[in-house]
Amino acid sequence: MIRLASLSLRRGQKQLLDRVDLVLHRGQRVGVVGANGAGKSSLFALLRGELLPDGGDYDRPPGLVIASVRQETPALDTSALDYVLDGDAELRMVQRMLVASEGDGVVHAEWLGRFEAVDGYSAEARAGKLLYGLGFSAEQLRQPVAGFSGGWRMRLNLAQALMCRSDLLLLDEPTNHLDLEAVLWLEGWLTSYPGTLLLISHDRDFLDATVNHIAHLQQGRIELYTGNYADFEEQKATRLAQQQAAFDKQQREIAHLQSFVDRFRAKATKARQAQSRIKALERMERIAAAHVDSPFEFSFRDAEASPNPLLRIEAGRVGYSERPVLDRLNFSIEAGARIALLGRNGAGKSTLIKLLAGELSLATGERHEGRGLKIGYFAQHQLEHLRLDQSPLWHLQKLDPTAREQELRDFLGGFDFRGEMASAAVAPFSGGEKARLALAMIVWQRPNLLLLDEPTNHLDLEMRHALTLALQDYQGAMIVVSHDRHLLRATADRFWLVENGGLQPFDGDLDDYKRYRDSGGGLPSAAMVAGTEASEVDRKTQKRLEAEARQRLAAARKPLERELAKVETEMARLSEEHSQLAAELAADSLYAPEARDRLKEALRRQGEVGARLGEVEARWLELQEQLETLAAAAD
């Protein structure tokens, strides 16, 4: 058990935690959420022992093994596989003792027993599977760490943390440098992790799939909610609604008391009563209004013109240094198209985006642009092009010198660059703040074709939500690469699969894509990556059998999925009605004598809706279990 008791923590002048009480039990999987600067990373540093509390107690079991992802990776000559194996400190210690005890048979035998106890014989295979799941190929296992780029080194750090047989695993934004395939793999790995997990993430789908509690950091407090992120949102909304209702009720009482004070303060006959009401106002505990508004509010302005089609590629080939990455490209992008690119890491998604953006040229083939095409392109490497010595306001003024300064400031305010921050230098900005500025610059230019390559990296939940809403209302065409499934579901209506050097439509949704990947579509064998030889089988027969199995599974799933869709629709309707009834019953006016009949009807209907909602939820669980059983049988 890990316990924080009346714990306070400051960084400089800022109070991050104020007399916090928190208990974490073994096996809990906790998503840690809160606004940037709320203290999430500082909480992790405290748990690791890198920060000491300014007050209160932090108790943890003796010998607790904590694993977390290193933020820096030196340019080592160590191979990727050995680097990951270094994550298991006990294994490495046992290996050293085995070498040291080679001359002493008895001691050596004891260390061999310890080696077996720590699963030493399977260690390389375990490390290989971790690397495979995170997107590394068999050839990359022996490649030195120094040969990998920054993003791949972060994957190595993640694999090293997962290799550690830890009691407490601390993960701070682990999906930032992963593609969708690696995110899906990591979800599965974390669900079977036996220790205590604390996870900072701005990916709501990832949180929903991996955690069973949410720790919300806000105003120096930590509130622990049961359930995943979707449950947290619902509970928080209910709590805020109750808080707002209490606030509104108190404001009415304050207004009534203040009215009496204002009317009778000067009258001698009423002075004592007025004074008593003044004291009542002073004693009353003020309930803060529920501040639920996001600091971000922006939308894409309509493009000045939009040709149709916007862009067309015929018989295209693109690559690097005479090496084709994508070939036989034939497609057009129509006005208003909303397309998400799917495909494993390295398949060519970013290459395709760069081709469309004009950063890469076709090796062969033809590119036809519609007259008036205006591209807005966002990618992480573009953040490096920001002028660090200049301000957000300066960047927009460079784009549009004729715009009024106040108009630009109002626009930047929607991205939470307000007051002095709008005219401050970009250099000290965080990665998320720089990404917001790059997005603001794109939005201001009114593109009719939007190209987004991992736009949500470093963005917090509030900004992701604002971006999702803006993209939903965006009238132009959009092509997006993202591992944020919530963003993809909410904004894209078509999927293109980039695979095996080509591009083709993907007929399905993200759940279908996950099943496609789980069935082995386009991925190397895990056994090959772990270093063992795959069995020699008739590949055509194997593919045919796999296709038949998928067809049988799909046939069995379809009626269940149809019923599940109906049940979810009814459940959503009932939940909405139940919430409306709860709000109605919270109103004071319903308890007036003249509203007695309406109160009885509302109570009766609430009972009916609650009972039916329970039945529908039970059926939903049954259907989910049946679908999971079918999926397990297919595996």
Side-chain angles (χ1 to χ4, degrees), residues 10 15 23 42 70 189 223 256 354 368 376 408 458 538 549 595 617:
R10 301 182 68 90
Q15 183 83 41
V23 176
S42 296
R70 297 169 60 180
W189 193 95
E223 294 286 345
H256 176 73
K354 288 178 181 178
H368 302 279
L408 296 176
H458 306 297
D538 183 338
E617 288 174 343

Side-chain angles (χ1 to χ4, degrees), residues 278-305:
I278 291 172
K279 290 178 180 178
L281 284 170
E282 292 171 349
R283 287 195 304 268
M284 186 176 293
E285 181 182 354
R286 299 299 173 109
I287 302 171
H291 297 291
V292 295
D293 290 341
S294 168
F296 312 110
E297 185 178 1
F298 63 91
S299 60
F300 287 87
R301 303 184 299 170
D302 291 340
E304 295 173 353

Side-chain angles (χ1 to χ4, degrees), residues 318-389:
V318 63
Y320 305 90
S321 302
E322 305 300 323
R323 181 178 62 86
V325 176
L326 298 172
D327 199 0
R328 302 181 302 279
L329 296 175
N330 291 282
F331 63 86
S332 66
I333 301 172
E334 311 298 325
R338 309 179 70 81
I339 301 165
L341 299 183
L342 303 176
R344 61 185 177 85
N345 191 75
K349 301 187 297 294
S350 293
T351 299
L352 179 59
I353 290 280
K354 288 178 181 178
L355 169 67
L356 297 175
E359 289 199 352
L360 289 177
S361 301
L362 287 170
T364 61
E366 296 182 357
R367 173 190 179 108
H368 302 279
E369 295 185 358
R371 187 174 182 179
L373 173 68
K374 193 170 186 180
I375 293 175
Y377 174 42
F378 176 90
Q380 292 297 317
H381 72 269
Q382 290 191 313
L383 305 190
E384 301 169 5
H385 298 158
L386 296 173
R387 280 282 300 271
L388 299 183
D389 59 331

Side-chain angles (χ1 to χ4, degrees), residues 557-576:
R557 290 180 63 94
K558 277 185 179 178
L560 295 175
E561 289 174 339
R562 281 197 294 269
E563 184 180 356
L564 183 66
K566 292 179 181 178
V567 167
E568 287 178 340
T569 300
E570 184 178 4
M571 193 159 60
R573 179 182 60 78
L574 290 169
S575 297
E576 176 68 20

Side-chain angles (χ1 to χ4, degrees), residues 28 39 68 81 133 159 214 263 355 424-425 458 462 464-465 497 626:
Q28 280 187 316
S68 63
L81 186 64
I214 293 290
R263 279 187 295 149
L355 169 67
H458 306 297
E462 292 289 356
R464 291 187 186 207
H465 177 66
L497 178 62
Q626 292 176 34

Side-chain angles (χ1 to χ4, degrees), residues 515 547-562 630:
R515 287 190 285 271
E548 291 174 355
R550 289 195 296 271
Q551 289 172 359
R552 288 195 298 271
L553 176 62
R557 290 180 63 94
K558 277 185 179 178
L560 295 175
E561 289 174 339
R562 281 197 294 269
L630 282 174

Side-chain angles (χ1 to χ4, degrees), residues 114-397:
R114 183 77 175 274
F115 184 71
E116 184 175 0
V118 298
D119 292 331
Y121 294 106
S122 65
E124 283 203 8
R126 285 188 286 120
K129 288 179 181 178
L130 288 173
L131 288 165
Y132 157 73
L134 292 173
F136 291 83
S137 66
E139 294 76 19
Q140 290 176 309
L141 267 62
R142 303 300 173 183
Q143 184 176 324
V145 172
F148 291 97
S149 66
W152 284 97
R153 290 189 194 181
M154 289 306 297
R155 293 193 188 208
L156 287 173
N157 286 346
L158 175 57
Q160 189 182 75
L162 301 183
M163 187 68 191
C164 176
R165 289 172 294 107
S166 58
D167 304 305
L168 172 63
L169 179 59
L170 306 176
L171 296 180
D172 189 346
E173 290 291 354
T175 63
N176 263 358
H177 298 279
L178 303 183
D179 59 4
L180 184 55
E181 275 73 13
V183 170
L184 293 171
W185 174 85
L186 183 59
E187 280 183 5
W189 193 95
L190 290 178
T191 54
S192 61
Y193 174 67
T196 304
L197 169 68
L198 265 67
L199 168 66
I200 298 173
S201 179
H202 297 307
D203 186 332
R204 54 189 299 155
D205 276 39
F206 187 68
L207 287 170
D208 280 343
T210 55
V211 305
N212 52 28
H213 288 77
I214 293 290
H216 184 214
L217 276 67
Q218 187 178 38
Q219 298 176 348
R221 313 299 298 169
I222 301 179
E223 294 286 345
L224 192 64
Y225 294 78
T226 301
N228 59 19
Y229 188 78
D231 298 323
F232 157 71
E233 278 194 321
E234 184 175 343
Q235 294 172 50
K236 183 185 175 187
T238 301
R239 182 178 296 187
L240 288 171
Q242 293 170 345
Q243 181 181 354
Q244 189 66 50
F247 172 78
D248 291 341
K249 182 178 179 181
Q250 186 185 68
Q251 291 304 302
R252 290 194 297 272
E253 185 176 352
I254 289 172
H256 176 73
L257 291 171
Q258 191 66 52
S259 174
F260 186 94
V261 170
D262 293 342
R263 279 187 295 149
F264 298 116
R265 187 196 297 265
K267 292 189 177 182
T269 56
K270 297 288 186 179
R272 180 170 300 198
Q273 295 176 45
Q275 287 300 318
S276 70
R277 282 161 173 76
I278 291 172
K279 290 178 180 178
L281 284 170
E282 292 171 349
R283 287 195 304 268
M284 186 176 293
E285 181 182 354
R286 299 299 173 109
I287 302 171
H291 297 291
V292 295
D293 290 341
S294 168
F296 312 110
E297 185 178 1
F298 63 91
S299 60
F300 287 87
R301 303 184 299 170
D302 291 340
E304 295 173 353
S306 186
N308 195 19
L310 291 158
L311 180 63
R312 190 169 77 253
I313 301 291
E314 294 179 356
R317 173 186 291 179
V318 63
Y320 305 90
S321 302
E322 305 300 323
R323 181 178 62 86
V325 176
L326 298 172
D327 199 0
R328 302 181 302 279
L329 296 175
N330 291 282
F331 63 86
S332 66
I333 301 172
E334 311 298 325
R338 309 179 70 81
I339 301 165
L341 299 183
L342 303 176
R344 61 185 177 85
N345 191 75
K349 301 187 297 294
S350 293
T351 299
L352 179 59
I353 290 280
K354 288 178 181 178
L355 169 67
L356 297 175
E359 289 199 352
L360 289 177
S361 301
L362 287 170
T364 61
E366 296 182 357
R367 173 190 179 108
H368 302 279
E369 295 185 358
R371 187 174 182 179
L373 173 68
K374 193 170 186 180
I375 293 175
Y377 174 42
F378 176 90
Q380 292 297 317
H381 72 269
Q382 290 191 313
L383 305 190
E384 301 169 5
H385 298 158
L386 296 173
R387 280 282 300 271
L388 299 183
D389 59 331
Q390 297 294 346
S391 67
L393 183 60
W394 179 89
H395 283 83
L396 284 191
Q397 286 173 331

